């Protein structure tokens, strides 16, 4: 008997996934273990195999299999799961198909050179060096939008790559709401009589002991060491080769144990998602995460909403004190909790607290949207940057390095990436709210070190579904409401209202 068409497609997808998964292993090894002399050969291996993945994917429809299946989806004759697989494969395929090879090559060559220029411009703190490259990237991104096609804004195409089906309009709407809440809220915190000094938590924490503590935390909150590893790297990240093999990394700083703990919990949040994807669908969109924003909702829910809660530290603080008695013996839990949640406008996004962080993102979102929509030009960015910093956070960058050149995203061509961090925060608060309605008081469970029900809830409602729903449909299905900023604002208002007595 002839194999079913859907089975054929799944076979092709799975074959591609095995190669892509091997590329991920090579990348992980490069960041964690590879000796310096290995860099050149490794880059070539990765680029060769990535080309194989790309090539196989664009040929997936050579015999018209996908077109045929897409027609069956439109006729509504396939099962729900097969429909998801074909819908999502078609989406990616259409995108690839519409971009001519010459364009893809030009974009990838541009961004690989732009990253080198960006790094040196950043080092010299000189935006003018990077400007011609940024202009070229923006031009290519606009061209990409024309090639792929859009209804309202060319920026929709950039967003869609990271957050499928999300639009400039909807993102503007929710981030505007959030901005209108945040600017006066941050001002109130600044004027509060409560002053917090984060320096009291800095000390001398031997790395070996930090590793032990971080592994304890990761294990306790559900990271499965039988299906994952935790290592060190300069830039912390998480990656996954299969739901049965998920990798995370952390960076350790001798004087700041809280930095590695926050990073570990964040990456565990990502890894729990990957470990929770259904292995039986490996290779197909049913075993892939929904979007960058939904992925980030998982890491941020764990890192901030749970990992920086009072309840979390009611459980973990006694252990932290035991492992690092010198510094913490004189700091009460209450003082510790307030200090790890210190809010302070600062220049650098990656060092920002969970309140001001979103203003960093909102200004980047507005800038990249306006660039793609031709409302501003790249040469004016340092000035626009400073205006927004002043308006949103009340501070001014002293130079380009601490200002417009600080993020790698634009040089990588990652326009549409940055807003997913704040969308992740909004999703996380909306999910958290629904989760507490379903499983009862989350703090009560966390306080006792019980994370099982949380993991089960996230698994059932989000992880196990793969790409069944787009991000906005998932939010609607799980919470019964459209994506909005209310739950996140309420969360910040309650938590920081108490801490800062405002
Ligand atoms: Zn993340």
């Amino acid at each position: 008997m002839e194999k079913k068409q859907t089975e054929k497609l799944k076979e092709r997808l799975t074959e591609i996934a095995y190669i892509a998964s091997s590329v991920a292993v090579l990348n992980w090894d490069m960041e964690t273990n590879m000796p310096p002399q290995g860099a050149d050969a490794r880059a070539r291996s990765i680029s060769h195999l990535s080309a194989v993945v790309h090539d196989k994917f664009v040929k997936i429809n050579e015999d018209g299999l996908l077109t045929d299946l897409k027609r069956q989806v439109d006729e509504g004759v396939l099962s729900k799961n097969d429909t998801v697989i074909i819908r999502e494969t078609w989406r990616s395929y259409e995108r690839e198909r519409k971009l001519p090879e010459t364009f893809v090559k030009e974009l990838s060559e541009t961004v690989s050179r732009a990253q080198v220029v960006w790094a040196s411009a950043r080092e010299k703190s000189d935006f003018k060096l990077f400007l011609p490259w940024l202009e070229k990237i923006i031009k290519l991104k606009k061209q990409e939008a024309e090639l792929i096609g859009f209804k309202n804004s060319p920026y929709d195409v950039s967003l869609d790559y990271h957050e499928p089906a999300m639009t400039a309009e909807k993102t503007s709407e929710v981030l505007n709401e959030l901005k209108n809440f945040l600017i006066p809220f941050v001002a109130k915190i600044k004027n509060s009589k409560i002053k917090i000094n984060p320096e009291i938590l800095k000390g001398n924490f031997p790395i070996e002991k930090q590793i032990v503590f971080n592994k304890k935390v990761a294990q306790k909150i559900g990271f499965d060491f039988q299906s994952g590893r935790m290592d060190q790297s300069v830039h912390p990240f998480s990656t996954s080769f299969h739901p049965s093999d998920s990798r995370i990394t952390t960076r350790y700083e001798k004087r700041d144990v809280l930095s590695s703990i926050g990073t570990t919990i964040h990456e565990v949040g990502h890894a729990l998602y990957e470990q929770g994807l259904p292995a039986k669908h490996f290779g197909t969109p049913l075993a892939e995460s929904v979007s960058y924003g939904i992925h980030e909702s998982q890491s941020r829910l764990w890192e901030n909403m749970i990992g920086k809660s009072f309840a979390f530290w009611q459980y973990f603080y006694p252990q932290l004190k035991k492992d690092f008695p010198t510094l913490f013996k004189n700091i009460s839990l209450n003082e510790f909790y307030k200090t790890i949640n210190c809010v302070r406008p600062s220049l650098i996004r990656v060092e920002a607290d969970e309140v001001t962080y979103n203003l960093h993102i909102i200004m980047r979102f507005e800038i990249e949207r306006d660039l793609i929509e031709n409302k501003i030009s790249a040469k004016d960015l340092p000035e626009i940057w400073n205006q927004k910093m002043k308006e949103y956070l009340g501070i001014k960058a002293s130079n380009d390095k601490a200002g417009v050149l600080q993020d790698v995203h634009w040089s990588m061509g990652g326009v549409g990436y940055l807003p997913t961090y704040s969308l992740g925060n909004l999703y996380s608060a909306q999910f958290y709210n629904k989760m507490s309605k379903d499983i009862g008081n989350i703090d009560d469970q966390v306080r006792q070190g019980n994370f099982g029900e949380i993991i089960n809830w996230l698994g059932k409602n989000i992880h196990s579904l793969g790409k069944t729903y787009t991000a906005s449909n998932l939010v609607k299905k799980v919470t019964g409401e459209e994506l909005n900023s209310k739950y996140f604002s309420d969360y910040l208002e309650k938590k920081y209202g108490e801490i800062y007595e405002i």
Side-chain angles (χ1 to χ4, degrees):
M1 201 181 102
E2 212 206 334
K3 245 184 212 148
K4 267 179 64 186
Q5 281 184 307
T6 45
E7 291 308 314
K8 265 196 207 163
L9 180 71
K10 281 184 218 169
E11 257 173 31
R12 290 180 195 179
L13 289 172
T14 314
E15 195 196 341
I16 296 170
Y18 282 130
I19 307 171
S21 166
S22 310
V23 176
V25 180
L26 291 177
N27 269 311
W28 169 82
D29 175 77
M30 181 170 76
E31 303 288 336
T32 52
N33 291 313
M34 191 182 69
Q37 288 292 337
D40 266 2
R42 179 59 53 87
R44 278 195 292 274
S45 298
I46 290 174
S47 122
H48 182 78
L49 276 181
S50 305
V52 174
V53 169
H54 179 77
D55 197 47
K56 279 192 175 295
F57 187 72
V58 291
K59 286 191 179 138
I60 206 164
N61 196 25
E62 237 174 9
D63 55 359
L65 175 70
L66 188 60
T67 313
D68 232 28
L69 286 166
K70 172 70 169 56
R71 190 180 33 78
Q72 294 172 44
V73 165
D74 294 341
E75 286 164 3
V77 295
L78 294 176
S79 72
K80 195 177 154 214
N81 276 353
D82 287 346
T83 301
V84 172
I85 293 172
I86 292 149
R87 181 195 78 206
E88 287 301 317
T89 308
W90 182 259
R91 251 192 88 249
S92 318
Y93 176 76
E94 273 280 280
R95 222 188 139 94
E96 298 278 353
R97 196 180 58 90
K98 287 177 179 169
L99 298 177
E101 223 170 281
T102 47
F103 175 84
V104 175
K105 201 157 168 254
E106 192 184 358
L107 182 62
S108 86
E109 279 169 7
T110 304
V111 300
S112 77
R113 291 178 62 191
Q115 280 174 75
V116 178
V117 178
W118 166 77
S120 123
R122 179 170 175 259
E123 212 33 60
K124 294 179 186 138
S125 193
D126 187 353
F127 178 70
K128 284 200 193 73
L129 289 178
F130 181 53
L131 177 61
W133 291 91
L134 180 60
E135 283 172 337
K136 186 153 189 219
I137 288 170
I138 298 300
K139 196 182 123 218
L140 288 169
K141 286 279 141 186
K142 289 180 195 163
Q143 205 181 328
E144 186 183 49
E146 294 299 332
L147 288 164
I148 287 177
F150 55 87
K151 266 200 215 122
N152 296 311
S153 162
Y155 184 69
D156 290 349
V157 176
S158 300
L159 267 178
D160 187 76
Y161 185 70
H162 303 90
E163 206 59 15
M166 183 53 81
T167 62
E169 196 188 356
K170 179 71 185 173
T171 311
S172 301
E173 179 201 311
V174 289
L175 294 188
N176 245 327
E177 274 172 23
L178 183 61
K179 180 170 83 173
N180 291 337
F181 162 77
L182 281 176
I183 294 177
F185 190 62
V186 169
K188 266 199 227 163
I189 291 178
K190 252 169 130 177
N191 296 328
S192 154
K193 61 180 194 305
I194 305 292
K195 302 292 172 208
I196 296 172
N197 174 16
E199 286 302 309
I200 65 164
L201 299 181
K202 306 280 158 55
N204 182 4
F205 307 96
I207 307 292
E208 286 313 308
K209 290 179 80 178
Q210 288 196 44
I211 294 175
V212 173
F213 188 81
N214 272 281
K215 287 197 168 161
K216 266 196 285 195
V217 174
Q219 176 137 34
K220 185 72 198 169
I221 65 176
F223 182 74
D224 177 2
F225 279 91
Q226 297 302 312
S227 301
R229 277 183 61 88
M230 206 175 126
D231 295 271
Q232 293 183 44
S233 68
V234 183
H235 302 287
F237 66 98
S238 67
T239 183
S240 169
F241 316 141
H242 187 270
S244 64
D245 193 354
S246 186
R247 310 288 174 100
I248 58 172
T249 69
T250 297
R251 177 183 47 212
Y252 295 96
E253 280 174 53
K254 212 161 185 197
R255 62 188 297 265
D256 189 0
V257 66
L258 270 314
S259 148
S260 65
I261 297 170
T263 304
T264 297
I265 299 174
H266 180 98
E267 300 305 340
V268 167
H270 283 304
L272 289 172
Y273 191 175
E274 294 292 332
Q275 291 178 335
L277 290 167
K280 65 174 183 238
H281 296 303
F282 175 75
T284 78
L286 287 171
E288 286 166 12
S289 58
V290 176
S291 67
Y292 283 55
I294 298 292
H295 229 304
E296 209 57 25
S297 79
Q298 301 305 290
S299 56
R300 282 157 194 267
L301 184 138
W302 282 99
E303 178 192 1
N304 294 326
M305 303 193 76
I306 296 175
K308 288 197 176 118
S309 68
F310 190 73
F312 185 86
W313 288 101
Q314 279 180 299
Y315 181 77
F316 280 108
Y317 196 49
Q319 299 181 47
L320 188 72
K321 268 183 142 159
K322 212 172 113 209
D323 285 15
F324 304 97
T326 330
L327 187 84
F328 295 117
K329 69 172 185 286
N330 295 319
I331 299 174
S332 70
L333 171 61
N334 220 357
E335 200 181 359
F336 173 84
Y337 167 70
K338 285 185 179 175
T339 311
I340 62 169
N341 286 299
C342 172
V343 174
R344 187 179 279 181
S346 60
L347 295 174
I348 307 294
R349 172 184 64 86
V350 294
E351 292 165 9
D353 55 82
E354 69 172 322
V355 182
T356 60
Y357 185 89
N358 298 286
L359 289 167
H360 287 269
I361 293 300
I362 290 167
M363 62 180 267
R364 285 156 175 79
F365 158 70
E366 292 172 344
I367 288 172
E368 60 177 34
R369 179 198 59 196
D370 292 353
L371 281 171
I372 300 291
E373 292 183 350
N374 274 331
K375 288 183 182 143
I376 55 172
S377 65
K379 67 173 177 11
D380 300 325
L381 282 203
E383 200 187 317
I384 296 170
W385 189 276
N386 287 336
Q387 274 168 10
K388 289 196 188 275
M389 270 314 255
K390 192 155 181 296
E391 194 188 334
Y392 298 176
L393 288 155
I395 50 177
K396 186 176 174 293
S398 42
N399 55 48
D400 293 342
K401 188 179 180 179
V404 65
L405 287 176
Q406 66 181 271
D407 296 308
V408 70
H409 302 68
W410 292 334
S411 74
M412 290 163 51
V415 177
Y417 188 148
L418 287 156
T420 66
Y421 295 133
S422 278
L423 293 176
N425 281 333
L426 302 187
Y427 295 136
S428 72
Q430 227 167 310
F431 288 143
Y432 188 97
N433 180 269
K434 180 64 169 66
M435 177 161 65
S436 45
K437 280 184 184 146
D438 288 350
I439 68 174
N441 192 316
I442 295 171
D443 279 348
D444 285 344
Q445 303 187 20
V446 168
R447 189 176 292 125
Q448 292 162 32
N450 294 334
F451 299 96
E453 278 201 65
I454 298 171
I455 293 168
N456 287 341
W457 189 91
L458 294 171
K460 181 170 156 252
N461 290 287
I462 299 161
H463 306 167
S464 65
L465 302 178
K467 268 188 159 64
T468 302
Y469 303 95
T470 60
S472 49
N473 287 342
L474 180 72
V475 170
K476 226 184 299 169
K477 178 180 178 286
V478 174
T479 69
E481 276 181 74
E482 295 264 354
L483 172 66
N484 63 73
S485 69
K486 180 181 171 296
Y487 294 96
F488 186 61
S489 307
D490 286 355
Y491 155 74
L492 293 180
E493 201 161 31
K494 181 165 186 297
K495 176 173 176 180
Y496 292 93
E498 278 168 22
I499 293 174
Y500 281 94
E501 297 175 20
I502 47 173

